[in-house]
Structure formats: structure tokens, C-alpha cells
Amino acid sequence: MKPIDGGICAVKGVHAGGIKPGKNGLGVITASGNSAGVFTRNKVIAAPLTVTREKIAEIGHLSAVIMNSGNANAFTGEEGIDDSVYMAKLLADKLNIPDKQIGVASTGVIGKKLDTNWLDENIDEVLNSLSNSSDGSHSAACSIMTTDTFAKESAIELNNGIRIGGIAKGSGMIEPNMGTMLAFIYTDAVLDSKSLNKCLKAGVDKSFNMIVVDGDTSTNDMVLLTATGESGVETDINEFQEGLDFVLKNLAKMIARDGEGATKLIEANVDGAFTYYDACLVAKSIVRSPLVKTAIFGHDPNWGRIIAAIGYSGANIKQDEISLAFSDGKNTVGLVKNGRITTNDRNSQNALKNIMEKKDIKILINLGMDNKSATAWGCDLTYDYIKINAEYTT
């Protein structure tokens, strides 16, 4: 496979556009095909998710998605459901397609009524901006940004010519299961809804469900995958899964890197676990820990906090088997080997200091139990995270 430009509009059959004039944004994606979705595990579920989930379960097909930012339309009761249904009908009438084929997504402040008048006033501008160019993908990605500092897009082309592209938003309230994040993924492969659903769930488990910014799970998380089939190619499912995983992980790392107030991307690589579940528990425990995150922000190699996070992760471990190192991808400094603190000379200490000052930091763990592995991504915890969230609605 090879990375390509264009985001979702690199995929045949996809047109997109959006506006973001202030705190509120509105975007539309048109692309008809078999679809699948993954939704938040929060038991308080936003109205758009309820509406969209029911549609996908009923027909497994979407022709378009309408999405807004600035208002989550969450915890808004039956009125919120009505407003989500209204969003779908608004777009359906404009495009002259059945509203049951319209997905709806929202992100923003919880507990406020959606301003449907604003949607009415701006929908035509969005539809006039629809394009199958990279500009269309970018404007759609920008339309759903809230505290994000950059638009998140990714696309690849497989060796057989099939393309997979995605856009996402997310910066805070992130620990997918999933977290305040939306992602819209498209492919021009020929795939049925059952296959898409299986691939999407597997891919999300290795990507969006392995990132932590602040440990909060949102009410509005949604990932939708649609196959337009316009390549005419029936791909090998394993090759497709590999490509989908690449796009999802790329978007997930962008979300972690763009965590509210973040200055560093943290990657926790865990090997030697007894089970894959144990590896996931340890990796996410490390990137979730406020003490680890603040140490990384302060360039402090306080590895004892990582050991503690491993210990309370719930995973099956033996402390005498744990090995730990820091890396920037080029240089690696070992700190613990098979449960014993390693002796570091002056050169190693200087190398460690240089690693801690980098923007991308890898924490390498080997549990010495078996051969299962997992990777999680997170970010540091900074003063700006507090400021952003202390003033979110004011």
C-alpha cells in the first residue's frame, strides 16, 4: 500500500464539504454504499447516535452523512431525537434521497438544544461547497473540529488499486471506548455490510480504542465505514483489513497527538504479555496515568510511575520479569531489565535527557510472560489542558 493525498475524497464516489464560521460548524459527505458503524459505550448516548445506529442496523446502507459541531445534541431527550431526525430529513430533501439513508453526527457541548434554524440557514452553502477534491475532504474535516488544532485526514491506495480514506475529529474527552471523537471512513472496494462491520470492529479495537487523552468516554463517539464499490474490485479481506488498520491507526495517533493542550505524543509498546487483553490493559494503563503524563510533560524520566501503572493495570504480571526502556524511535535507553534496575553511565543519562525532550516518546515494556503484544497512544498532561476545559462553555 502507499499513502496518498485527498482524504476521503481520494475514494471514488465520495464528495464532501463543510463550513466552520465560528464555534458552530456544518459538514456533508455524499457517498452511496454498504455501511457499518461503531458507537460509544457510554450509557448516556447522544441522539444522533441513536438515530444513525438504528438506520445502519435496519438497512446497512448510507448515501450521505450530515454532521455538525458546537452542539453535541446529547442529553436532550425526545426533542434531541426529533432534531436528529430533522437533520437527516433536511439533507434528504435537498438531495432527493430517502432519509433512512442519511447518517447524522454531532459534537460539542452536552445538554443544549440544537439550533436547527442555524442548520436551515447554512445547509445550502455547505451543499454548494461539495467537491470530490482534497479541498472537499479538508473542509469537511474542519467543519467538525471543536478544540482540535488541526484537521485529521488520511488516505491510502492498496496494491490492487482500492483506496481507503478517512477524516476524524477529537482532542479532549478521549478514551475510546470510544472518546469525543467522530470518524468517517470510505473505500471504493466491493464489500458487503457484514464484512465491513467485522473489519471495522477489528480495526477500531486496534486504533481508536487504544488511545487516551484524559480518560473520559464521550456520549457522541461514532465511526462510520462506507464502501462505494466504485473501484469494481472485490478485494482480499486480509489485505483490506491491513489497509483499514493503517488509516484508522494514523487517524488515532493524530487525535492523541492533538490532545487538548498536549505537547507530546506518547506511545506505549507492550510485548511479552500472557494474553493480548493483558497487553492492552498495561499499554492503556500507562498512557492513561496522570502521573506518567505529567512526568512526560516535565521531561522527567520518572519510570517508577510507569512500573506502578503496570502493577495496577489488572494484567497478569510478575514484577521480576518486567523490562522497561524509553525511546525516540532512533535512540533507546534501558532502565529496567528482568525486574532489575540497570546501571546507566553518563552517556546513557545524556541520551535519556535528549529522548525526554523529543515530541514523540516511546515507552517500551516487556512483561516476560509470553509473546502477546499491544500498542496504545496518548499525550502529556499540561497546564493548557486545565485552562481549555475550565473555560469550555464560557
Side-chain angles (χ1 to χ4, degrees):
M1 74 181 78
K2 63 178 180 180
I4 57 175
D5 296 328
I8 54 177
C9 290
V11 175
K12 294 177 182 177
V14 179
H15 292 71
I19 59 171
K20 183 72 175 180
K23 285 191 174 182
N24 294 325
L26 182 62
V28 168
I29 307 169
T30 63
S32 183
N34 296 326
S35 300
V38 175
F39 305 90
T40 186
R41 294 176 189 170
N42 194 318
K43 292 184 179 180
V44 177
I45 301 172
L49 278 72
T50 299
V51 170
T52 303
R53 185 168 59 183
E54 288 177 355
K55 292 181 179 184
I56 289 180
E58 180 183 355
I59 63 173
H61 183 102
L62 291 177
S63 294
V65 175
I66 182 170
M67 50 210 185
N68 75 282
S69 61
N71 186 307
N73 193 13
F75 207 70
T76 46
E78 287 301 319
E79 189 176 21
I81 297 291
D82 292 342
D83 287 340
S84 289
V85 170
Y86 179 83
M87 284 180 68
K89 190 174 187 308
L90 174 66
L91 183 60
D93 290 346
K94 294 286 186 179
L95 298 178
N96 194 30
I97 57 178
D99 58 6
K100 66 181 179 180
Q101 295 179 13
I102 306 291
V104 183
S106 300
T107 183
V109 178
I110 296 170
K112 289 189 176 182
K113 184 187 182 315
L114 187 66
D115 185 355
T116 54
N117 289 330
W118 187 87
L119 303 179
D120 291 336
E121 294 166 359
N122 289 279
I123 185 64
D124 287 337
E125 181 180 354
V126 174
L127 293 177
N128 289 334
S129 75
L130 288 179
S131 164
N132 63 350
S133 70
S134 58
D135 288 342
S137 176
H138 187 71
S139 64
C142 289
S143 74
I144 51 174
M145 290 169 56
T146 51
T147 55
D148 304 61
T149 64
F150 64 87
K152 299 164 181 68
E153 304 173 76
S154 180
I156 60 157
E157 183 175 279
L158 302 182
N159 293 334
N160 57 13
I162 284 173
R163 292 184 170 190
I164 305 171
I167 62 173
K169 68 81 55 181
S171 185
M173 199 180 280
I174 300 290
E175 181 175 1
N177 281 327
M178 293 166 312
T180 307
M181 56 151 293
L182 301 175
F184 306 98
I185 316 299
Y186 292 87
T187 180
D188 45 27
V190 177
L191 287 167
D192 58 37
S193 295
K194 184 177 180 180
S195 297
L196 291 171
N197 187 58
K198 183 178 180 180
C199 289
L200 182 60
K201 287 183 175 179
V204 165
D205 278 345
K206 291 177 282 189
S207 57
F208 296 126
N209 281 349
M210 293 301 292
I211 59 175
V212 179
V213 169
D214 47 22
D216 272 13
T217 299
S218 170
T219 56
N220 286 64
D221 313 318
M222 175 191 298
V223 182
L224 299 180
L225 172 60
T226 298
T228 67
E230 293 204 9
S231 69
V233 178
E234 295 185 10
T235 182
D236 174 78
I237 199 67
N238 293 321
E239 184 179 4
F240 177 76
Q241 184 74 66
E242 183 180 356
L244 179 64
D245 290 349
F246 180 90
V247 170
L248 296 181
K249 287 180 181 179
N250 199 22
L251 292 171
K253 286 189 282 186
M254 290 182 194
I255 291 173
R257 186 185 300 280
D258 196 29
E260 289 172 339
T263 66
K264 297 178 183 295
L265 175 68
I266 306 169
E267 182 175 299
N269 293 314
V270 177
D271 291 312
F274 188 67
T275 66
Y276 173 68
Y277 179 68
D278 283 340
C280 291
L281 285 176
V282 171
K284 291 192 74 173
S285 183
I286 291 168
V287 298
R288 185 189 301 116
S289 166
L291 292 178
V292 172
K293 293 159 80 69
T294 49
I296 298 297
F297 171 60
H299 303 177
D300 180 9
N302 191 346
W303 55 266
R305 294 179 174 181
I306 298 170
I307 294 296
I310 295 170
Y312 65 63
S313 66
N316 185 12
I317 67 164
K318 293 180 180 179
Q319 67 180 46
D320 292 341
E321 300 296 332
I322 297 172
S323 296
L324 182 156
F326 281 101
S327 175
D328 60 7
K330 294 182 179 179
N331 302 299
T332 300
V333 175
L335 298 164
V336 175
K337 180 70 172 178
N338 296 332
R340 294 182 178 273
I341 302 170
T342 57
T343 301
N344 293 305
D345 56 23
R346 183 181 295 274
N347 289 336
S348 295
Q349 291 298 325
N350 288 337
L352 183 59
K353 181 176 182 295
N354 289 334
I355 289 172
M356 298 308 295
E357 292 175 351
K358 298 293 178 62
K359 289 188 176 181
D360 291 12
I361 294 177
K362 298 179 185 289
I363 299 171
L364 310 178
I365 304 295
N366 194 306
L367 298 179
M369 300 287 290
D370 206 314
N371 62 357
K372 302 302 187 295
S373 61
T375 300
W377 299 273
C379 60
D380 55 345
L381 183 58
T382 72
Y383 308 122
D384 284 344
Y385 177 85
I386 305 299
K387 181 177 175 60
I388 290 167
N389 284 285
E391 301 172 355
Y392 192 79
T393 64
T394 57

